[in-house]
Amino acid sequence: KPTIRAYDRTRMSIAWFLVAGVVLVAVAVAGSLLKRLPLTTSMFYLGAGALLGPWGAGLIDLDAIGDAPLLAVLTELAVIISLFTAGLKLRLPFADRRWRTAILLASVAMALTVAGIAAFAVMAAGLSLAAAVLLGAVLAPTDPVLASDVQVADEHDAEPVRFSLTGEAGFNDGTAFPFVMLGLGLLGVHELGVNGWRWLTVDVVWAVSAGLAVGAASGAGIGRLVLFMRRAHKETAGLDEFVALGLIALSYGLALQIHAYGFLAVFAAGLSMRRIERREAGAAPAKMARAVLEFNEQLERLGEVAVVIIVGALLAGIAGWTPGLLVVVALFAVIRPAATAVTLLGSPLTSTQRAFMAWFGVRGVGSIYYLTFALAHGAAAAPEARAIADITLVVVAASIVLHGVSVTPLMQYYGRLRG
């Protein structure tokens, strides 16, 4: 019997190697083919996950609630790498008015989205107020991982729609945390304080401001150190990838140590490193920033493949699709457009630009992280935990499909309009 078990494990390992090889090769081949079609690679990953999960080969058998701690770690890694990459891509000085649009979308529009989703979930999905607020917080942030087709292409891309969507996704993956903590508090698994005083002072004011400060200081300090070593001793040539990973880990760890939001710290670290490159003259800063950005983009792509495949496998465990589909229609057709319209009142943007920002509020890996984080921190015991998980998975899958199908023709149309 021990020999049989060893053989079975070996056979399973061989199967995983074969599957991983086929998937990675197919990803590389599909990437060039899908460019000619109104499809995205994320849709391919989602389908691959469904085929590898219980609906198909059964090689991936995970549960959103039972495996929440593991899924939280995997999605956490994908998000922090993507946030650092997004920060490196945003090269405009903070005085530029495009930053104002991004910050408004990441704060005002997101708060309105949380409120809209919560209200709809109470009235149409029958969730309690506490569960509805948590669901709104999970679904409110847009995604820096899956929205690459509508974000800036490189550090020199300052087109208003792309820049605003990139900045929004970078900021609101951190600014969503206070609303997640509020939802957990209403469920009774997090301390909010008398009249919400602790939540306001600690979870909102301190955690947000300290996270941004830690990230900015870490990015500036490490960036200047690397530039000094390059110019004085050329010691870091070829080691920029290690610098990137070290800065991500340092800024994230320091933020968590002082009970601040690590996502905001990582994003701010990327912005700070890019700011040094913009302000310092010479080839060394540009070479450092370019090498770090290219390395992180490769890591980001690997994280996207892994997480979206897992999402595809998790779809088989959804108990009911109707509540999730109702939220999909409400979020993408009403709540997101209304929140964007209210937030951008008085903005110099054109109506077409506002419409594109309203539609391309992509939901993805960030929402999966917040879902699994909440489940791993006490929300799994709530009676409505399964409903929250099912709705989130349906919304993310629908976003991958709807935005994936529409991104190529719409962005080509937008390009023709600008031309």
Side-chain angles (χ1 to χ4, degrees), residues 63-157:
D63 177 66
I65 296 179
D67 297 301
L70 170 63
L71 296 175
V73 172
L74 293 176
T75 51
E76 182 180 29
L77 292 174
V79 172
I80 61 176
I81 291 171
S82 182
L83 289 175
F84 187 74
T85 305
L88 286 173
K89 289 180 179 179
L90 300 176
R91 198 172 183 270
L92 287 180
F94 291 123
D96 193 284
R97 67 184 182 186
R98 276 163 284 200
W99 276 111
R100 180 177 181 272
T101 301
I103 293 172
L104 286 174
L105 289 173
S107 54
V108 177
M110 193 187 66
L112 293 174
T113 302
V114 172
I117 294 173
F120 183 82
V122 170
M123 293 184 294
L127 297 184
S128 65
L129 178 61
V133 170
L134 180 59
L135 177 66
V138 167
L139 294 178
T142 55
D143 194 72
V145 181
L146 303 184
S148 58
D149 291 322
V150 294
Q151 294 183 359
V152 293
D154 53 57
E155 66 272 22
H156 301 293
D157 187 355

Side-chain angles (χ1 to χ4, degrees), residues 286-364:
K287 184 177 180 181
M288 177 193 69
R290 189 179 306 112
V292 172
L293 177 58
E294 291 174 355
F295 175 69
N296 275 269
E297 285 178 333
Q298 297 301 321
L299 291 180
E300 181 183 33
R301 192 168 294 113
L302 289 174
E304 177 188 357
V305 173
V307 174
V308 178
I309 285 177
I310 290 174
V311 171
L314 289 173
L315 295 179
I318 294 177
W321 288 72
T322 302
L325 293 175
L326 291 175
V327 173
V328 167
V329 174
L331 175 59
F332 296 136
V334 180
I335 298 173
R336 167 73 180 186
T340 304
V342 171
T343 301
L344 298 182
L345 283 175
S347 169
L349 296 167
T350 66
S351 58
T352 301
Q353 289 172 328
R354 298 184 196 191
F356 270 78
M357 290 182 188
W359 172 245
F360 286 113
V362 181
R363 268 62 183 178

Side-chain angles (χ1 to χ4, degrees), residues 111-391:
L112 293 174
T113 302
V114 172
I117 294 173
F120 183 82
V122 170
M123 293 184 294
L127 297 184
S128 65
L129 178 61
V133 170
L134 180 59
L135 177 66
V138 167
L139 294 178
T142 55
D143 194 72
V145 181
L146 303 184
S148 58
D149 291 322
V150 294
Q151 294 183 359
V152 293
D154 53 57
E155 66 272 22
H156 301 293
D157 187 355
E159 195 282 319
V161 171
R162 291 183 179 273
F163 186 91
S164 298
L165 290 173
T166 306
E168 177 193 14
F171 276 117
N172 70 12
D173 258 15
T175 53
F177 245 118
F179 296 100
V180 173
M181 305 313 291
L182 176 61
L184 291 175
L186 294 175
L187 286 174
V189 295
H190 177 69
E191 179 61 38
L192 297 179
V194 179
N195 297 322
W197 181 248
R198 184 192 180 281
W199 174 77
L200 181 62
T201 56
V202 177
D203 294 332
V204 179
V205 178
W206 165 256
V208 171
S209 58
L212 291 172
V214 165
S218 300
I222 298 298
R224 291 187 184 281
L225 175 62
V226 172
L227 288 182
F228 172 78
M229 297 296 289
R230 269 186 176 276
R231 289 168 173 168
H233 309 290
K234 301 187 184 301
E235 295 287 345
T236 62
L239 300 178
D240 298 293
E241 294 83 0
F242 293 96
V243 172
L245 293 176
L247 178 54
I248 291 172
L250 180 65
S251 57
Y252 195 71
L254 287 175
L256 296 183
Q257 182 65 32
I258 62 173
H259 304 289
Y261 294 136
F263 283 178
L264 286 176
V266 170
F267 180 61
L271 290 174
S272 185
M273 178 171 279
R274 175 58 72 179
R275 183 168 179 265
I276 290 175
E277 180 272 329
R278 180 173 54 83
R279 295 182 61 180
E280 297 284 341
K287 184 177 180 181
M288 177 193 69
R290 189 179 306 112
V292 172
L293 177 58
E294 291 174 355
F295 175 69
N296 275 269
E297 285 178 333
Q298 297 301 321
L299 291 180
E300 181 183 33
R301 192 168 294 113
L302 289 174
E304 177 188 357
V305 173
V307 174
V308 178
I309 285 177
I310 290 174
V311 171
L314 289 173
L315 295 179
I318 294 177
W321 288 72
T322 302
L325 293 175
L326 291 175
V327 173
V328 167
V329 174
L331 175 59
F332 296 136
V334 180
I335 298 173
R336 167 73 180 186
T340 304
V342 171
T343 301
L344 298 182
L345 283 175
S347 169
L349 296 167
T350 66
S351 58
T352 301
Q353 289 172 328
R354 298 184 196 191
F356 270 78
M357 290 182 188
W359 172 245
F360 286 113
V362 181
R363 268 62 183 178
V365 179
S367 292
I368 300 298
Y369 168 74
Y370 280 121
L371 168 68
T372 53
F373 172 87
L375 293 172
H377 286 78
E384 296 154 307
R386 179 60 63 182
I388 296 173
D390 287 352
I391 292 173

